[in-house]
């Protein structure tokens, strides 16, 4: 098959999934074309079955805004015709699903369009009356629409009300990249003592992540357990969070590591991972932590409760309930037997439910069904 993929190539989860899926398809022998504004950051090596088509948006003085959407659609149309694509897989509803539909019209081809909904394309932008109808159109005019969790699927029906079947296909990661086991050497480099517990959070530091709850959870844990909090990532909330750590008197035990490219290594510093978001359709970082052997605490937001089985493979708390999060954290970090039991259950569960081969097979079957 010849598959075109469009995603945001930056460090977001939707870009990671799109890229890993593309690599997986290329490894299966399909011809994969990424049509993106930049090389997706997870593509480190060239692969004979992967071609990257970069979208360059021209800036003309008559335009108040650079026309990314039209340029992207035109580029996709060009790739559809030049390579005779069978499938277009668009990640994120706006503008990508709509650009895919426009590209199909421009190219006058019969390419099939698969759209994957990722999260804020529905749960934030879907509430914007200037975008809602366009999102609905993008969903209804795609051939197949997938959602990364049941929760996001339900929210899409509630918010957008499309006349379209939506199929849940869970996210996956390239599990080969993640290893179970502590990297004590790396911890020592950051001044973490061997008998300290490490709590970790990784995100793009946006407001929806509620990093304040991560820091407040840590403040309570630290009163009982010798520990450090490692925060990886950068974004609009970073400064505010530094101030909060200072205000709560924990700043010397909170390490802000900023944006990191080889994220796999950092999970090996952690004993427990926290994702306290108020919106999270899936939470790819949870899978990354879990595949590194690190149990997680998430919230009832979105699809996190589909990823973590409460009290079996990790913990789920209400949004904003950092007190319960700290109690669960203390419980698991002070009971080695419980820790090992939960870790084993977690590893078994994710290998069964979030297996990259099985999940990419689901996508491959969707493609095959469409071109049949
Ligand atoms: O929708 C976003 O906020 C951005 C997007 C991204 O590109 O990282 O994140 C969403 O998609 C990820 C991949 O499917 C999910 O793991 C994230 O949970 C989801 N983020 C939100 O729902 C806030």
């Amino acid at each position: 098959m010849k598959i075109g993929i469009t995603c945001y190539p930056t460090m977001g989860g939707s870009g990671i999934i799109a890229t890993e899926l593309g690599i997986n398809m290329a490894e299966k022998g399909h011809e994969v074309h990424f049509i993106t504004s930049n090389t997706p950051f997870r593509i480190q090596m060239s692969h004979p079955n992967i071609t990257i088509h970069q979208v360059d948006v021209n800036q003309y003085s008559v335009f108040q805004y650079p026309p990314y959407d039209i340029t992207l659609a035109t580029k996709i149309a060009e790739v559809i015709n030049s390579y005779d694509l069978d499938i277009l897989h668009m990640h994120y509803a706006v503008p990508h699903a709509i650009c895919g539909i426009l590209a199909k019209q421009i190219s006058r081809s019969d390419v099939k369009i698969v759209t994957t909904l990722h999260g804020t394309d529905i749960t934030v932008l879907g509430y914007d009356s200037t975008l809602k109808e366009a999102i609905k159109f993008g969903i209804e005019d795609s051939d197949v629409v997938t959602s990364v969790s049941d929760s996001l699927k339900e929210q899409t029906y509630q918010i957008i009300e499309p006349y379209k079947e939506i199929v849940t296909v869970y996210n996956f990661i390239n599990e080969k990249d993640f290893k179970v086991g502590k990297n004590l050497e790396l911890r020592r480099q950051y001044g973490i003592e061997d008998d300290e517990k490490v709590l970790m959070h990784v995100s793009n530091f946006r407001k929806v992540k509620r990093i304040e709850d991560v820091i407040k959870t840590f403040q309570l844990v630290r009163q009982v357990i010798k520990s450090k909090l490692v925060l990886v990532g950068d974004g609009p909330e970073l400064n505010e969070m530094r101030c909060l750590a200072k205000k709560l008197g924990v700043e010397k035990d909170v390490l802000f590591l900023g944006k990191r490219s080889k994220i796999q290594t950092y999970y090996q510093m952690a004993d427990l991972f926290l994702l306290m978001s108020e919106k999270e359709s899936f939470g790819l970082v949870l899978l990354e932590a879990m595949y590194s052997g690190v149990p997680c605490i998430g919230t009832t937001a979105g699809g996190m409760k589909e990823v973590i089985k409460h009290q079996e493979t990790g913990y789920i708390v209400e949004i904003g309930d950092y007190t319960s999060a700290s109690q669960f954290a203390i419980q698991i970090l002070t009971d080695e037997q419980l820790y090992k039991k939960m870790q084993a259950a977690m590893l078994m569960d994710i290998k069964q439910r979030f297996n990259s081969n099985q999940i990419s097979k689901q996508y491959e079957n969707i493609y095959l069904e469409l071109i049949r």
Side-chain angles (χ1 to χ4, degrees), residues 244-262:
L244 180 68
K246 203 164 176 184
K247 191 172 145 201
L248 296 178
V250 293
E251 83 270 28
K252 82 169 186 21
D253 289 325
V254 181
L255 281 72
F256 289 88
L257 301 197
K259 224 177 204 171
R260 298 282 151 162
S261 50
K262 286 231 168 355

Side-chain angles (χ1 to χ4, degrees), residues 117 122 126-127 132-133 135-137 139-140 152-166:
L117 309 174
I122 301 299
Y127 286 106
K132 183 178 165 181
E133 282 308 309
I135 297 172
K136 190 166 190 264
F137 168 75
I139 293 174
E140 288 178 346
L152 181 62
K153 176 164 78 176
E154 291 318 316
Q155 281 178 289
T156 307
Y157 285 131
Q158 274 165 26
I159 302 168
I160 309 290
E161 301 174 275
Y163 295 104
K164 183 83 185 174
E165 187 195 353
I166 300 173

Side-chain angles (χ1 to χ4, degrees), residues 96-311:
H96 294 159
I98 296 133
C99 292
I101 294 161
L102 182 57
K104 179 173 175 165
Q105 289 173 355
I106 296 173
S107 66
R108 301 188 191 286
S109 73
D110 190 31
V111 69
K112 302 293 181 216
I113 301 174
V114 178
T115 290
T116 293
L117 309 174
H118 280 278
T120 48
D121 45 355
I122 301 299
T123 60
V124 174
L125 304 181
Y127 286 106
D128 183 336
S129 59
T130 66
L131 295 173
K132 183 178 165 181
E133 282 308 309
I135 297 172
K136 190 166 190 264
F137 168 75
I139 293 174
E140 288 178 346
D141 278 44
S142 294
D143 293 290
V144 168
V145 178
T146 72
S147 151
V148 299
S149 62
D150 286 337
S151 153
L152 181 62
K153 176 164 78 176
E154 291 318 316
Q155 281 178 289
T156 307
Y157 285 131
Q158 274 165 26
I159 302 168
I160 309 290
E161 301 174 275
Y163 295 104
K164 183 83 185 174
E165 187 195 353
I166 300 173
V167 186
T168 298
V169 181
Y170 281 140
N171 280 336
F172 66 91
I173 56 164
N174 182 355
E175 49 275 73
K176 290 194 290 292
D177 286 347
F178 295 82
K179 243 193 3 235
V180 179
K182 289 271 131 36
N183 187 338
L184 289 177
E185 194 40 53
L186 184 65
R187 287 166 56 124
R188 287 180 200 132
Q189 283 172 24
Y190 284 95
I192 299 166
E193 290 169 30
D194 291 0
D195 62 346
E196 279 183 304
K197 297 292 181 192
V198 172
L199 283 74
M200 180 174 276
H201 169 84
V202 176
S203 76
N204 48 13
F205 278 63
R206 287 186 301 165
K207 240 189 167 32
V208 288
K209 302 291 172 181
R210 290 188 68 98
I211 303 168
E212 64 273 23
D213 291 341
V214 173
I215 298 176
K216 287 176 185 168
T217 302
F218 173 66
Q219 187 206 18
L220 296 174
V221 171
R222 185 176 158 277
Q223 289 169 9
V224 183
I225 302 172
K226 194 173 162 196
S227 50
K228 289 263 188 318
L229 173 64
V230 175
L231 298 173
V232 185
D234 199 352
E237 287 287 284
L238 185 71
N239 264 342
E240 191 82 14
M241 294 306 116
R242 273 190 207 283
C243 294
L244 180 68
K246 203 164 176 184
K247 191 172 145 201
L248 296 178
V250 293
E251 83 270 28
K252 82 169 186 21
D253 289 325
V254 181
L255 281 72
F256 289 88
L257 301 197
K259 224 177 204 171
R260 298 282 151 162
S261 50
K262 286 231 168 355
I263 190 76
Q264 301 89 320
T265 334
Y266 294 92
Y267 287 109
Q268 294 183 312
M269 292 167 82
D271 295 288
L272 187 66
F273 188 87
L274 302 176
L275 188 62
M276 306 291 286
S277 319
E278 62 192 30
K279 285 183 195 293
E280 202 67 71
S281 64
F282 185 90
L284 201 60
V285 285
L286 295 173
L287 266 195
E288 295 185 338
M290 287 160 118
Y291 266 109
S292 309
V294 184
C296 301
I297 300 181
T299 71
T300 47
M304 281 193 272
K305 49 200 179 301
E306 293 169 59
V307 181
I308 300 171
K309 293 184 178 167
H310 182 52
Q311 294 202 308

Side-chain angles (χ1 to χ4, degrees), residues 8-25:
Y8 287 116
T10 47
M11 288 214 187
S14 59
I16 295 175
I17 288 296
T19 311
E20 294 296 355
L21 182 61
I23 295 172
N24 210 297
M25 290 296 148

